[in-house]
Amino acid sequence: MLEKPSVSALLPRHLAIIMDGNGRWAQARGLARSEGHRAGAENVRTIVTECRKLEIAYLTLYAFSTENWKRPQAEISVLFSLLSDFLQRELPLLREQNIRLKTIGCVEDLPFAQRTALAHALRATKDNTAMTLNLALNYGGRSELVQAVRAIVREGLSEEAITEESLAEHLYTAGQPDPDCVIRTSGEQRLSNYLLYQSAYSELIFSPAFWPDFGAAELRAALEEYAGRKRRFGRTQEQIAN
Ligand code: FPP
């Protein structure tokens, strides 16, 4: 049984993470970059399990961006092969922990083997209800907006029917709450085309830890920092107090 760890903190309903620093983690140890990605993929299990224990309803992980195609072909192959391994290895865990897997991004452009493995995992977990794990794959916030606008045009929505809500319903995250908190590891402080529309009011937390080192303790520290933030959504402090 999963036991919810005691946290004093107000937790995000939707947590999004930019898993950065695999390469530097490997470099610091004199290892190949692929070893960093391997360690990073293993850490995904740790963080998914921890978020599930904390009863976080939505977790979105940036696994492969539209810009990542610019990396050397050998590195791209390693990332895709780790994705296949992850899906095979962790499907029982997702089932056991009642976690629904979803993808965001242009998954149609991924290699056949990964598309097939994803389709299987999505189908196998579609009725799970405790948590949604979104894997951002071939994802970019700008291209997401472009595909949303194209869909809106295709559907022939009238000018008045185009609202913040109807636009959001054409994003990959349709039906899900916006991320309350976006964490980026490795000390870099930018969004890198991640959830551009959805993160309008997200609290941004930057952890110095490289992704393979971002374990349960680092996650807790980031969530404590989130809990200490005052979210105002454009209102004054007085309005919030009353
Ligand atoms: C950034 O590290 C990380 C990525 C480009 C991809 C994240 C991938 C994983 C965690 C492994 C595979 C994922 C799954 C879901 C199985 P970087 O290489 O940019 O690090 P650097 O900035 O130190 O070079």
Side-chain angles (χ1 to χ4, degrees):
M1 261 316 281
L2 291 171
E3 205 169 305
K4 186 174 178 181
S6 63
V7 270
S8 58
L10 173 74
L11 290 166
R13 186 162 169 233
H14 185 170
L15 173 66
I17 306 183
I18 302 175
M19 309 182 286
D20 196 10
N22 294 345
R24 279 164 286 165
W25 180 91
Q27 196 179 24
R29 287 162 178 74
L31 300 170
R33 289 179 61 80
S34 55
E35 290 307 313
H37 291 314
R38 201 173 309 285
E42 272 165 32
N43 194 43
V44 170
R45 181 192 174 98
T46 306
I47 294 302
V48 168
T49 305
E50 200 58 23
C51 288
R52 172 68 185 84
K53 284 188 200 160
L54 290 166
E55 297 174 5
I56 288 172
Y58 298 87
L59 173 66
T60 302
L61 300 177
Y62 209 175
F64 192 86
S65 75
T66 46
E67 288 73 30
N68 285 152
W69 293 108
K70 294 179 196 150
R71 295 195 174 201
Q73 189 50 51
E75 183 167 342
I76 294 173
S77 299
V78 165
L79 286 168
F80 287 150
S81 121
L82 287 169
L83 174 64
S84 297
D85 295 349
F86 172 83
L87 293 170
Q88 196 178 26
R89 194 178 63 230
E90 306 302 356
L91 187 55
L93 174 96
L94 299 179
R95 283 181 149 146
E96 222 171 83
Q97 298 191 4
N98 194 17
I99 298 171
R100 179 174 191 177
L101 183 73
K102 285 198 161 196
T103 56
I104 61 169
C106 189
V107 175
E108 302 79 53
D109 290 345
L110 296 182
F112 179 75
Q114 281 69 30
R115 275 189 333 231
T116 311
L118 280 166
H120 173 65
L122 262 52
R123 215 172 24 246
T125 61
K126 72 175 175 33
D127 296 322
N128 292 352
T129 53
M131 179 170 111
T132 298
L133 169 63
N134 295 313
L135 287 185
L137 289 162
N138 193 18
Y139 175 86
R142 289 183 174 181
S143 87
E144 176 180 42
L145 283 165
V146 169
Q147 73 79 32
V149 172
R150 284 185 180 157
I152 286 171
V153 170
R154 237 183 356 257
E155 290 165 23
L157 256 71
S158 68
E159 195 179 326
E160 302 73 48
I162 302 174
T163 60
E164 292 187 10
E165 291 73 26
S166 69
L167 179 53
E169 282 309 305
H170 288 82
L171 301 176
Y172 296 120
T173 48
Q176 301 189 15
D178 287 339
D180 304 287
C181 177
V182 177
I183 297 175
R184 183 174 188 143
T185 62
S186 91
E188 304 291 339
Q189 303 197 352
R190 55 181 174 273
L191 275 178
S192 297
N193 209 9
Y194 195 39
L195 301 170
L196 294 182
Y197 191 83
Q198 300 91 330
S199 65
Y201 284 101
S202 305
E203 293 298 327
L204 307 180
I205 309 263
F206 301 105
S207 166
F210 294 139
W211 172 249
D213 289 331
F214 187 82
E218 288 72 17
L219 175 70
R220 302 282 175 81
L223 293 175
E224 292 284 349
E225 187 178 337
Y226 165 78
R229 299 272 180 93
K230 290 193 172 55
R231 303 187 75 200
R232 291 173 28 186
F233 300 98
R235 288 166 295 173
T236 66
Q237 198 49 56
E238 290 69 36
Q239 284 174 305
I240 289 166
N242 296 321

